[in-house]
Amino acid sequence: MEKIPALELKNISKKFGSKYANKGIDLKVYKGEILSILGENGSGKTTMLNMISGIYFPDEGQIYINGDAVTIASPNDAFRYRIGMIHQHFKLVDVFTATENIILGTEDEGKYDLKKYSKKVKEIADAYGFEIDPDKKIYEMSVSEKQTVEIIKVLYRGADILMLDEPTAVLTPQETRKLFDVLRRMKADGKAIIIITHKLHEVLDVSDKVAVLRKGAYIGTVNTPETNESQLTEMMVGQKVVLNIDRDDPVDPKDRLIVAHLNCFNHEGTKVLDDVTFTAKSGEILGIAGIAGSGQRELLETIAGLQPMVTGGVQYIDPATGKVEFLRDKTPQEIREMGIRLSFVPEDRLGMGLVGNMGTTDNMLLRSYLKGKGVFLQKEESRNLAEKVIRELDVVTPDAEFPVRRLSGGNVQKVLVGREIAAAPTVFMAAYPVRGLDINSSYVIYHLLNEQKKNGAAVIFVGEDLDVLLALSDRIVVIGSGTVTGIVDARTTTKEEVGLLMTKEVRKNA
């Protein structure tokens, strides 16, 4: 007797204007199976999941649940068919507790009894190995705790088909392992699970099958034990891709940025940087490693003038004159007015890096509008730059005026990185520049970082993938709880040594 898929898509298509986001998608996932979805940025992965979850309605094709043709016209329809979607950006109410968020929108004939609901939440958590405090407020939670709430929320509603969009994008390796253990328990419980991730080693680790999309079209499904990273990349891109990171020796490295005894507090008054000291040199890539939330983001924001320093300082050495400039208490605008070309790719792309309602051209213009003369903006140069970035970084967008908020996360990142690199910086800082990017786009970014290094820039690279940090960097500064726990040679150190430094506790003298 033929096994019936828990979920099946037949010839599913979706258009936005004249452009197909998905075209003729055929897909199956069975109970007790984990299916990974792979594809380059803009290949239609999230659009496909949004149709299954009722956010979009397909223009063509049919969706089947347990062999029956169904119509999913809203998220309520998806819940009725026991489909749960965990989005990349959480949809939670910060001032509510975990339990309040989980039961929000559910119906109860009697009076709401939070104790009863909290007990049920705890039962679900214990059944799958989640760690959760049902009474904890969302704003007090870590990223992984918030994700746990989102997953339990769909389980509470009885989901048998779970879809997760980039669930490990902001998780530490330890948190990722915990999540995968939970997913395996769900699989053993008969759940059908679909997961989008760009991290090929995760795909090979957790999934049973892998389905590949390319430019909105379905390419094929392979059994995970029978494939490898090279084959999957070739299916995604349509050609062989060499997954090697080149690393040349630094040429005549000189001190470019000196960070000395830096201390910084966040808006809540918590110390996030504690006596941080290191030097970034021209013509090298300085990697920053640490468990998420150890102060990496705040470090780059402080150097860039976006966070105030309490004590300590940052010195910039001009490559042309050798003159030392002090950056403490300088705003980003003042730093630019001093003639210092310091670029910064923040972790929050649309929140801090780009204006979502603007197109690529206008976002390029943000870098130079103050240089304009008169009351009219000169857009020709920015338009040419936008078209160059779109062409060279293969940004998937209808045109240079299309709002960047409507692009996929990876294409947003390409626009941001392209703009910052075009400024020809002498110091280039990037926080998680490949987060959310497909494997091919990631290697494009690694190549661009190497090009900046060859051009003599001091590159500071905050990464979450230790294998990449070790392969790309010349030296690595390891940060734990806001403190430098070690500075190592990336060519001679090991993943294990860096991992130990990431969790090392440094005791300060009273």
Side-chain angles (χ1 to χ4, degrees), residues 241-495:
V241 176
V242 179
L243 301 178
N244 290 324
I245 298 175
D246 297 325
R247 178 174 54 192
D248 297 330
D249 290 331
V251 177
D252 191 26
K254 288 185 169 61
D255 292 354
R256 178 65 53 78
L257 200 70
I258 300 172
V259 177
H261 307 294
L262 201 63
N263 291 276
C264 177
F265 291 81
N266 63 17
H267 299 300
E268 286 77 40
T270 304
K271 198 172 195 178
V272 289
L273 296 176
D274 187 1
D275 198 36
V276 171
T277 298
F278 65 86
T279 300
K281 299 176 181 291
S282 63
E284 75 162 7
I285 295 178
L286 180 68
I288 307 289
I291 294 171
S294 295
Q296 305 96 310
R297 175 175 59 81
E298 290 85 358
L299 172 61
L300 267 59
E301 289 180 0
T302 302
I303 295 172
L306 298 170
Q307 291 258 20
M309 305 176 202
V310 177
T311 57
V314 178
Q315 297 176 39
Y316 169 84
I317 302 172
D318 191 302
T321 64
K323 182 181 177 183
V324 176
E325 303 279 5
F326 294 89
L327 305 190
R328 181 170 177 178
D329 299 328
K330 295 286 193 302
T331 66
Q333 180 61 32
E334 288 170 335
I335 289 173
R336 283 198 294 273
E337 288 171 353
M338 291 167 65
I340 298 171
R341 292 171 291 163
L342 186 149
S343 292
F344 174 52
V345 178
E347 186 179 358
D348 183 359
R349 303 161 187 171
L350 290 178
M352 292 177 63
L354 301 170
V355 177
N357 289 328
M358 289 183 177
T360 303
T361 297
D362 287 340
N363 272 289
M364 297 295 153
L365 192 64
L366 290 177
R367 255 280 183 196
S368 57
Y369 78 97
L370 287 174
K371 298 177 184 175
K373 295 177 181 178
V375 295
F376 298 105
L377 296 175
Q378 304 298 315
K379 294 183 68 171
E380 191 62 32
E381 187 177 335
S382 294
R383 188 176 293 110
N384 292 338
L385 175 58
E387 289 172 355
K388 180 183 178 185
V389 168
I390 290 168
R391 182 175 62 254
E392 294 184 357
L393 297 188
D394 196 23
V395 178
V396 180
T397 179
D399 55 57
E401 312 308 321
F402 192 74
V404 295
R405 66 178 172 77
R406 295 178 62 185
L407 302 180
S408 70
N411 285 300
V412 170
Q413 188 74 323
K414 289 179 185 178
V415 171
L416 180 54
V417 171
R419 184 191 72 186
E420 294 303 303
I421 285 177
T426 52
V427 176
F428 183 79
M429 304 192 299
Y432 311 108
V434 300
R435 177 174 285 170
L437 293 189
D438 58 72
I439 190 73
N440 193 43
S441 299
S442 296
Y443 277 79
V444 169
I445 299 300
Y446 301 149
H447 174 70
L448 289 173
L449 294 179
N450 266 320
E451 285 298 309
Q452 294 303 300
K453 168 184 168 179
K454 290 176 184 176
N455 291 339
V459 180
I460 302 176
F461 168 55
V462 177
E464 56 194 345
D465 189 325
L466 280 184
D467 292 313
V468 170
L469 271 170
L470 290 169
L472 187 66
S473 306
D474 297 292
R475 293 181 300 131
I476 297 175
V477 175
V478 187
I479 295 181
S481 301
T483 301
V484 174
T485 56
I487 300 176
V488 297
D489 186 329
R491 289 172 172 78
T492 58
T493 191
T494 64
K495 195 173 177 179

